[in-house]
Amino acid sequence: MIPFDYRRADDVDSAVATVTGNPRAAFLGGGTNLVDHMKLGIAEPELLVDVTGLPLDRVEELPDGGLRIGTNVRNSDLAAHPLVRERYPVLAQAVLAGASGQLRNLATTGGNLLQRTRCVYFQDVTTPCNKRTPGEGCAALHGYTRYHAVLGASPHCVAVHPSDLAVALTALDAVVRVRRADGERTVRASALHRLPGAHAERDTVLEHGELITAVDLPPLRFAANSRYRKARDRASYAFALVSVAAALDVADGRVRDVRLALGGVAHKPWHATLAEHAMRGGPATVDAFQAAADAELAEAEPLPDNGFKLKLARNMIVSALRGLAGEDAP
């Protein structure tokens, strides 16, 4: 057992100051897998600052018609909130697709976003892993790759991000509010997580000591016509092989606007901008949806065990969009 100190945060500013001032301190929030990693020997913080008691647990309506979700809103409360279910069903569905009821009762918005990959090689300290120890190598490249990335990977890491919530927030163009020692900044949800590049050890663009305080959802009217679909190896408590978050606005048989993001395919939730661009202004037909999916997946580089993800992703994109356009979409 590696000893560590534990403190409950009294307020946001003191929590940020404490962690910022200690390079071996970490925030503890519901939904992260930090404690699991401490048990496995992956993480060894000397101080945990528990932020779960901070009064950041409300879903509030914004003046522009959007919603602000506090970082400590429990996943189960978020999925059940009537405004979320009415205006952003993709978000409620994504939350309910993750983990189990018991875990959703404890997991928080901020904690869910900052959970780390479940790559088996990252979690096994006997294997080389650049995410765990930079420069050590990536065991997954020559291992079992069924669950790994097909988009945006690098020779340093092929892990995927596990969050369902983050995929929906990326599709919705949500904005993440972050407190740091010198004030506050905002980060688009699509830019919060990063691709591995040469620094696989960094999951997000957050600096040490920065704390997520809330997530803002824009007043996206057509988000009411949205859905989340997830393919996995079993019906519950399993991470996505591929997931799709989509929102679609169709008028007179043409796509006025669309939002699309994929999960289970990259080191971060994958904002499918190429597919979105291909569809906007075009016909809302199955052929057009298939062409958009093909455009998004054209640069994919599957590994020996996960080539099936390309066909699965294509089919799921088309199925989700066709359902939103109406099952009779030509």
Side-chain angles (χ1 to χ4, degrees), residues 20-42:
T20 301
N22 184 342
R24 292 193 59 202
F27 295 116
L28 178 64
T32 66
N33 43 354
L34 175 59
V35 174
D36 295 337
H37 291 166
M38 292 171 67
K39 293 176 181 179
L40 292 169
I42 296 170

Side-chain angles (χ1 to χ4, degrees), residues 6-178:
Y6 170 88
R7 299 180 195 171
R8 289 188 66 85
D10 295 321
D11 57 77
V12 171
D13 289 339
S14 64
V16 169
T18 298
V19 175
T20 301
N22 184 342
R24 292 193 59 202
F27 295 116
L28 178 64
T32 66
N33 43 354
L34 175 59
V35 174
D36 295 337
H37 291 166
M38 292 171 67
K39 293 176 181 179
L40 292 169
I42 296 170
E44 297 182 357
E46 66 177 23
L47 171 64
L48 294 183
V49 178
D50 188 342
V51 297
T52 57
L54 295 177
L56 302 170
D57 58 352
R58 297 177 60 190
V59 177
E60 302 173 291
E61 193 164 10
L62 296 173
D64 64 1
L67 294 181
R68 176 164 295 167
I69 304 166
T71 194
N72 282 335
V73 172
R74 304 289 178 176
N75 284 183
S76 52
D77 293 333
L78 179 62
H81 196 282
L83 290 180
V84 173
R85 295 169 67 89
E86 175 188 348
R87 299 181 187 176
Y88 308 95
V90 64
L91 186 57
Q93 292 168 14
V95 171
L96 292 174
S100 64
Q102 295 91 333
L103 288 176
R104 291 193 294 270
N105 286 339
L106 291 175
T108 61
T109 301
N112 185 303
L113 291 177
L114 296 181
Q115 63 181 301
R116 304 199 71 188
T117 183
R118 296 321 197 278
C119 173
V120 294
Y121 300 102
F122 171 64
Q123 297 184 111
D124 181 355
V125 296
T126 68
T127 62
C129 174
N130 288 315
K131 182 175 287 295
R132 194 178 60 244
T133 308
E136 197 174 61
C138 176
L141 287 173
H142 306 289
Y144 183 60
T145 56
R146 173 177 168 81
Y147 300 100
H148 289 84
V150 295
L151 290 166
S154 81
H156 302 277
C157 183
V158 294
V160 298
H161 194 267
S163 172
D164 294 294
L165 170 65
V167 180
L169 292 177
T170 295
L172 291 170
D173 289 333
V175 173
V176 180
R177 308 187 72 87
V178 179

